[in-house]
Amino acid sequence: MKPSLLNRIINAPYILWSAIFIVIPLFIVVYYAFTDANGALTLHNIFELKEYKHTFLISIWYSVIATVITLIISYPFAYIMSRKSVNKQQMMMMLVMLPMWMNLLIRTYSWMNILEKTGIINTLLGYMGLSPLKLIGTPGAVILGMVYNYVPYMILPIYSVMSKIEPSLLEAAEDLGSNGFMKLKKVIFPLSLPGVVSGITMVFVPSVSTFYISQKLGGGKIMLIGDAIERQIQTSYNYNLGASLSLILMILILISMAIMNRFTSSEDGGIIV
């Protein structure tokens, strides 16, 4: 049997899987985006997207803020974890992964119980004689939900790259007179950049497309692009407009991933797609 034929046979299940679960759904989204309810070709759905310009901007802005906060939290944690002994690394990894064993819905509901008017925070404030705070239904609550749910996706790729940094490189930098800041600037950050880029993408993409977090922690007062898509499909049954919104969101995500991929390489272990 020729190697080329063998490769085709081996790759056949993956090609079939991609065709059924990736190519065909994408074709369906494009079809609905450029047709009306009767199946006639139209650009009306695309022109109607201008009504959602503010929603797109808010979604991108909240996702950027959540990504930056997640990076600030995750980078030092990943570095500290990568410098610990193997046993401590395993323990810290378990602590990072533990919340991910629970469903996203359960984690979000937990934060609702913490932030709502009769939740844990406001109950403690009441015991101290302070007025309750309005936490649910605010941008801060939505961004907090994004950070909490997606912080492991930032920690893991950064830690994966940082754990490969040889301690001898840091020792050499110290021998050459580098202080802590110079080691971070000249050695640690450049070598960990592929993991940072992968982490940014892995947090930004689900954040910009989320809808459940904004629904629950936003109290129905904050609508992101994911909420708009869900509302058009589940409530208004306007599959055509929902598909056009999904198409634009898909293009936005692909552009962001393409930009991020320019800053990394497969050799460094930080490749995204």
Side-chain angles (χ1 to χ4, degrees), residues 9-256:
I9 294 176
I10 294 175
N11 293 329
Y14 303 100
I15 296 174
L16 180 63
W17 185 93
S18 299
I20 295 176
F21 296 104
I22 299 178
V23 178
I24 293 178
L26 289 178
F27 175 78
I28 294 174
V29 170
V30 174
Y31 170 78
Y32 274 100
F34 290 98
T35 57
D36 57 18
N38 298 320
L41 291 175
T42 180
L43 294 177
H44 175 74
N45 301 317
I46 303 300
F47 293 144
E48 201 169 344
L49 292 177
K50 63 183 179 181
E51 303 294 332
Y52 293 90
K53 179 175 65 174
H54 180 72
T55 303
F56 273 104
L57 293 176
I58 288 295
S59 300
I60 295 173
W61 178 236
Y62 284 7
S63 300
V64 169
I65 295 175
T67 302
V68 171
I69 295 174
T70 304
L71 177 60
I72 293 173
I73 295 173
S74 302
Y75 196 88
F77 184 90
Y79 175 75
I80 293 172
M81 183 165 64
S82 68
R83 299 298 102 183
K84 295 292 184 180
S85 63
V86 175
N87 291 335
K88 290 183 178 179
Q89 287 185 34
Q90 293 175 348
M91 178 64 67
M92 295 177 73
M93 179 66 70
M94 186 188 69
L95 293 176
V96 171
M97 298 295 295
L98 190 60
M100 299 179 67
W101 295 354
M102 295 183 292
N103 189 274
L104 172 67
L105 309 184
I106 298 176
R107 299 199 301 267
T108 305
Y109 263 111
S110 299
W111 273 108
M112 288 178 61
N113 293 330
I114 295 173
L115 300 176
E116 63 185 1
K117 190 173 182 179
T118 57
I120 297 175
I121 294 179
N122 282 323
T123 300
L124 292 176
L125 292 176
Y127 289 150
M128 294 185 290
L130 301 175
S131 301
L133 300 175
K134 178 178 174 53
L135 301 174
I136 292 288
T138 62
V142 176
I143 294 172
L144 173 63
M146 293 179 180
V147 172
Y148 173 76
N149 282 292
Y150 301 132
V151 70
Y153 300 112
M154 183 71 76
I155 293 176
L156 296 179
I158 296 177
Y159 161 75
S160 176
V161 175
M162 280 188 170
S163 62
K164 300 176 184 177
I165 298 177
E166 292 292 338
S168 58
L169 294 176
L170 302 179
E171 294 173 359
E174 291 178 356
D175 293 339
L176 294 173
S178 296
N179 55 24
F181 176 76
M182 292 302 296
K183 285 193 297 181
L184 174 64
K185 180 181 178 181
K186 298 294 186 179
V187 180
I188 299 173
F189 184 75
L191 293 177
S192 63
L193 185 59
V196 172
V197 172
S198 294
I200 289 174
T201 306
M202 293 175 67
V203 172
F204 177 79
V205 170
S207 296
V208 77
S209 58
T210 188
F211 65 93
Y212 189 81
I213 295 174
S214 53
Q215 280 183 2
K216 298 304 179 183
L217 298 183
K221 300 177 181 178
I222 298 175
M223 186 173 73
L224 303 183
I225 191 60
D227 301 303
I229 296 172
E230 192 266 347
R231 187 172 300 178
Q232 290 297 327
I233 294 176
Q234 296 292 337
T235 305
S236 302
Y237 300 103
N238 190 343
Y239 300 106
N240 304 97
L241 182 56
S244 64
L245 289 168
S246 301
L247 180 62
I248 298 301
L249 178 61
M250 188 189 313
I251 293 173
L252 174 65
I253 291 174
L254 290 175
I255 291 174
S256 66

